Amino acid sequence: MIGVFDSGVGGLTVLRELMKRLPGYSFVYFGDTARTPYGNKSPETIERYAREDTSLLLREGAKLIVIACNTASALAGECLRKEFPVPVFDVIAPSVLRAAAETKSGRVGVIGTRATVGSGVYAERFRASFPNVEVFSESCPLFVPLVEEGWLGKRETKQIVRRSLAPLRRKNIDTLILGCTHYPLLRSVIAERIGRRVRLVDPAAEVAETVVRYLGTYPEVAATIAHTASIRLLVSDETPAFGKLATKILGKPVVIEKTQI
Ligand code: DGL
């Protein structure tokens, strides 16, 4: 199975992109609904949670891990890759590559949770690989609760998005990384508010493309992963929000299993 984890329900945007591109594969998804959100937790706590989430997926039979959560990717991507004996993909590296390829002006914006932005990981990665790119980051902590409440098209949401993006609008960016699982669900509101000329990078699509390429390059790894086109959705707590949003994101009714971390 391909194991995908997130702090909660938002990572299903990543699972959706993976399923689209790898329809025959078996997936196991873990949403840590009991401990969500990760975005306002300390780096130590996020790292510990990410380790526990990965261990759980390996116990369930995952042969490859995708960290769908931007926050966990930012704070724990490197440590998971060092500590676990399977390929581990995070959403940061593919988004950086895509943004660097897209930008013409060399001015790239990143939005994410407080923890993701506070980690400085995007700026660090651009500095290391694309020193000519200037990075402007902004945390948007109100977006996640708005999405989870289903307030996608509300007037208040548009106002909050406009206000949250105002500092970035002044930076004249031409590319913006939607650095949080929930933000692709606000894509059209964000596009309208940041300006139609700004290209949006969706980490969900980028990491899915990376995994497809990897499995194509390493058929021996692909062969270890079951191809029964099955999906298991595990959560650490059964919450009404998960079922509702999961159905919306995946576009079909879902079966959810509660599990112990
Ligand atoms: N999944 C988180 C992320 O992508 C957003 C929700 C949270 O704060 O846990 O950063």
Side-chain angles (χ1 to χ4, degrees), residues 96 99-101 103 105-109 123 126-127 130-136:
V96 166
T103 183
S105 65
R107 299 173 73 82
V108 171
F126 276 104
R127 229 182 353 260
F130 306 99
N132 294 335
V133 174
E134 252 190 292
V135 182
F136 304 93

Side-chain angles (χ1 to χ4, degrees), residues 6-7 36-40 68-71 113 116 144 179-182:
D6 179 44
S7 56
T36 199
Y38 285 8
N40 52 18
C69 181
N70 276 258
T71 304
T113 63
T116 296
V144 167
C180 172
T181 46
H182 291 58

Side-chain angles (χ1 to χ4, degrees), residues 60-255:
E60 293 293 339
K63 304 289 184 218
L64 179 152
I65 299 290
V66 179
I67 314 173
C69 181
N70 276 258
T71 304
S73 293
L75 278 307
E78 289 306 318
C79 99
L80 297 187
R81 258 189 294 280
K82 270 192 215 126
E83 290 176 18
F84 289 90
V86 294
V88 176
F89 294 86
D90 67 55
V91 286
I92 313 281
S95 309
V96 166
L97 278 179
R98 167 62 56 201
E102 291 287 337
T103 183
K104 302 274 178 291
S105 65
R107 299 173 73 82
V108 171
V110 179
I111 50 176
T113 63
R114 285 213 170 90
T116 296
V117 170
S119 74
V121 70
Y122 278 100
E124 209 176 274
R125 298 282 180 89
F126 276 104
R127 229 182 353 260
S129 305
F130 306 99
N132 294 335
V133 174
E134 252 190 292
V135 182
F136 304 93
S137 307
E138 207 51 53
S139 62
C140 301
L142 295 175
F143 291 8
V144 167
L146 287 170
V147 170
E148 298 218 341
E149 287 306 316
W151 281 35
L152 299 182
K154 297 229 186 205
R155 191 159 45 92
E156 292 86 345
T157 301
K158 293 177 182 168
Q159 284 166 351
I160 289 169
V161 170
R162 177 171 337 113
R163 246 186 108 164
S164 305
L165 297 181
L168 279 182
R169 275 183 73 101
R170 289 193 284 272
K171 303 291 186 204
N172 270 325
I173 56 170
D174 73 350
T175 306
L176 176 64
I177 298 176
L178 306 179
C180 172
T181 46
H182 291 58
Y183 299 175
L185 297 168
L186 284 172
R187 189 184 178 109
S188 61
V189 184
I190 292 171
E192 230 168 78
R193 297 303 179 277
I194 195 68
R196 290 277 171 201
R197 283 199 311 269
V198 174
R199 288 178 206 86
L200 301 183
V201 174
D202 175 359
E206 299 308 327
V207 73
E209 287 293 333
T210 305
V211 173
V212 170
R213 276 197 301 274
Y214 177 86
L215 291 174
T217 312
Y218 297 97
E220 67 279 15
V221 178
T224 65
I225 301 171
H227 283 60
T228 55
S230 64
I231 303 155
R232 290 184 65 205
L233 296 183
L234 311 179
V235 292
S236 47
D237 191 19
E238 266 167 311
T239 58
F242 189 94
K244 230 166 102 189
L245 253 185
T247 304
K248 186 176 168 54
I249 295 170
L250 296 179
K252 57 180 177 192
V254 294
V255 179

Side-chain angles (χ1 to χ4, degrees), residues 10-32:
L12 291 175
T13 56
V14 175
L15 181 65
R16 177 177 64 186
E17 297 302 322
L18 285 162
M19 283 164 53
K20 241 192 258 169
R21 291 165 176 83
L22 298 165
Y25 280 79
S26 308
F27 293 93
V28 54
Y29 177 92
F30 175 62
D32 195 4

